Amino acid sequence: MYQKIPYRLGLSATPESEYNDEATQFLFDEIGPLFYYFGLADAIAKGILCPFEYTPISYSPLAKEIAEVGSIRKKFEGAKKKNPAAATSIIKRMQMEMAKVWKKSEGKHPGLEEILSKPKNLVKCIIFGPEKKYKSKILELLQKANSNHGLTYTEYYGETDKKYLDFYRNGRVQVLLTCKAISEGVDLDVNTIVLVASDGPKLETIQRIGRALRTHGDATKVAKVIDFIRDNSDDSADTRRREWLKELSESGLKSWSAMQEEEE
């Protein structure tokens, strides 16, 4: 039906999918090329979104996790040799399988425990962890922080009763643990985002940190983004995300400081 419409205008926060070329091409074919871009840096510079302080935390994967990634690499390298014509898709699948291991790495737990030991820094905080079946250890750390430091928390995974979101909204709890359930489509007042697990594409990271970049009428707000980066991960999704967020943070804080000086 829409093919008969002569003029089409699309509006999207994330028009390009880094790991889904088909979806990106379909959008451009059906709607048209990208002709105007207003990104996060632009929105922060204009004061529409608030700037953020970025803190990357290095972690070392456990030996068993490194071995698991080695096995994955070996399996897919064998598949690539058998079918070189499909090398590109095979490599993508290999990277996705390896990323699953890093996302749930137990090597992040000491750093997370340190963060949770300072609850005063975690008012209005969302922790994005790995998928639900790997949440048990993070819940143990949250419970420990609750007993030792008075940190209050709850969890939300979509199918959970929405009253837990209300606990967060009305300030009964400081920290909300989730995965993909509130990456988009939920309006919450957030100051701090902790990225325990992140996908490779920028799309999901933009959606997640965007929870904290809404000003909610506070022109002086500066959000916090805490991110886990794997050691010795040169030219990896972690490294690229760290460099991108570091640059975005620095440019945003610079623009924000200039606006504050002008108002004075």
Side-chain angles (χ1 to χ4, degrees):
M1 182 73 179
Y2 69 91
Q3 288 91 345
K4 297 180 181 179
I5 300 173
Y7 301 101
R8 305 170 200 167
L9 177 65
L11 176 64
S12 173
T14 49
E16 296 177 294
S17 301
E18 293 172 72
Y19 289 83
N20 193 337
D21 295 338
E22 290 183 9
T24 300
Q25 194 57 50
F26 175 81
L27 187 65
F28 290 166
D29 288 344
E30 298 301 315
I31 303 296
L34 184 66
F35 71 93
Y36 179 75
Y37 178 80
F38 189 84
L40 280 181
D42 302 303
I44 294 171
K46 294 285 187 181
I48 298 169
L49 297 177
C50 75
F52 64 94
E53 297 174 350
Y54 177 61
T55 304
I57 296 178
S58 297
Y59 77 92
S60 299
L62 304 189
K64 65 179 182 180
E65 295 163 351
I66 295 172
E68 184 178 355
V69 166
S71 297
I72 291 170
R73 188 186 299 276
K74 184 177 179 180
K75 179 182 73 174
F76 281 95
E77 287 293 342
K80 192 168 65 171
K81 286 180 180 178
K82 290 180 180 178
N83 188 6
T88 301
S89 62
I90 290 171
I91 290 172
K92 282 186 178 181
R93 293 205 310 275
M94 178 181 73
Q95 291 171 336
M96 291 173 65
E97 290 299 313
M98 291 164 62
K100 289 179 182 178
V101 179
W102 302 138
K103 283 182 186 180
K104 62 183 177 64
S105 173
E106 295 177 27
K108 301 174 185 178
H109 295 165
L112 180 58
E113 185 171 9
E114 175 66 19
I115 293 168
L116 297 178
S117 70
K118 300 170 183 174
K120 288 183 180 179
N121 297 331
L122 296 176
V123 177
K124 297 180 181 178
C125 171
I126 294 181
I127 297 176
F128 285 100
E131 56 187 295
K132 186 177 180 180
K133 63 182 178 181
Y134 299 117
K135 70 174 184 175
S136 59
K137 182 59 181 178
I138 295 178
L139 284 174
E140 286 179 25
L141 295 176
L142 284 165
Q143 181 56 53
K144 184 177 179 180
N146 174 262
S147 300
N148 296 342
H149 309 289
L151 179 76
T152 54
Y153 70 92
T154 190
E155 55 181 311
Y156 179 74
Y157 286 92
E159 72 275 14
T160 313
D161 192 314
K162 296 236 174 128
K163 68 182 180 182
Y164 295 112
L165 282 183
D166 291 332
F167 290 168
Y168 177 86
R169 284 192 176 105
N170 62 29
R172 286 180 60 181
V173 298
Q174 297 167 257
V175 175
L176 184 65
L177 172 65
T178 187
C179 55
K180 294 180 181 293
I182 55 174
S183 288
E184 57 181 316
V186 177
D187 187 19
L188 296 172
D189 188 0
V190 184
N191 284 347
T192 302
I193 296 290
V194 181
L195 300 172
V196 176
S198 296
D199 280 353
K202 288 182 179 179
L203 183 151
E204 188 163 274
T205 301
I206 289 171
Q207 292 168 338
R208 290 182 173 188
I209 68 173
R211 305 300 99 203
L213 301 188
R214 298 176 182 181
T215 64
H216 289 277
D218 183 1
T220 65
K221 178 182 177 182
V222 177
K224 296 180 181 178
V225 175
I226 302 171
D227 190 13
F228 283 82
I229 305 295
R230 179 166 48 88
D231 283 341
N232 302 316
S233 56
D234 294 341
D235 194 32
S236 70
D238 274 8
T239 304
R240 292 190 293 274
R241 187 178 65 255
R242 180 187 62 201
E243 295 308 309
W244 166 55
L245 289 178
K246 181 181 177 183
E247 181 181 352
L248 188 60
S249 170
E250 290 174 351
S251 66
L253 289 169
K254 185 177 179 180
S255 298
W256 178 80
S257 296
M259 283 192 292
Q260 297 299 307
E261 290 176 5
E262 287 178 7
E263 291 178 3
E264 291 176 2

